[in-house]
Amino acid sequence: MTTTVAPSIRNMEKQLRQQEQHLTRVMVQAVEQGREVNADETNDVADQAVLSYQKEMLFTQGTEGRNQLQLVRNALGRISDGTFGECVSCHETIGAKRLEAVPWTPYCIACQEKAEAGELHDVTGHGEHALAGG
């Protein structure tokens, strides 16, 4: 690793650690909110529908949050093992602007497009939803 790249990697690692902390806080809040949303037998059908919708939204947020948190942790792992900035599929270098915008991305743009089109086996194990934002 050259001295010009090292500060950039350290900056990316800092951003990823901040994102990891943020996502962890959001996940804890979603769990707490999910526990607070309880269907009461005295609620009418409309209230029960609203509560059901709230629970579904919290579940979706939790699932997406877990997927993104795993992508962030995987990126931190790639920093540790020296492969950060390398596409996990084709092993080409991921563009600096892409990494600045989405530092947890496992794919270069070409492989990301293939993954979103279903043309690439998901080597990250997190499915299309995790990849859509990356």
Side-chain angles (χ1 to χ4, degrees):
M1 184 177 334
T2 64
T3 56
T4 57
V5 175
S8 178
I9 295 291
R10 281 195 298 269
N11 188 32
M12 293 289 171
E13 182 176 15
K14 181 180 177 183
Q15 288 178 358
L16 287 164
R17 295 222 181 268
Q18 289 172 344
Q19 183 71 7
E20 180 182 36
Q21 290 173 354
H22 168 74
L23 289 169
T24 301
R25 279 193 307 273
V26 168
M27 299 291 296
V28 168
Q29 290 172 350
V31 168
E32 290 171 354
Q33 289 174 352
R35 289 182 180 147
E36 292 172 6
V37 177
N38 290 318
D40 187 344
E41 291 181 23
T42 61
N43 290 338
D44 64 21
V45 175
D47 289 339
Q48 289 176 359
V50 168
L51 289 174
S52 178
Y53 177 76
Q54 287 174 334
K55 282 188 174 187
E56 182 65 28
M57 288 295 296
L58 289 169
F59 177 77
T60 300
Q61 287 174 343
T63 300
E64 290 172 359
R66 276 191 303 279
N67 288 342
Q68 187 176 6
L69 184 59
Q70 189 58 52
L71 289 171
V72 167
R73 289 179 175 160
N74 289 348
L76 288 167
R78 289 192 301 277
I79 287 174
S80 294
D81 70 18
T83 60
F84 182 79
E86 177 183 302
C87 178
V88 299
S89 179
C90 70
H91 305 289
E92 294 293 321
T93 301
I94 299 172
K97 288 184 180 183
R98 179 163 172 75
L99 285 174
E100 287 174 21
V102 190
W104 53 84
T105 186
Y107 297 124
C108 66
I109 289 176
C111 289
Q112 179 70 44
E113 289 173 354
K114 289 178 187 176
E116 289 175 1
E119 300 169 3
L120 181 70
H121 174 69
D122 179 15
V123 296
T124 66
H126 297 292
E128 288 181 44
H129 297 291
L131 301 174

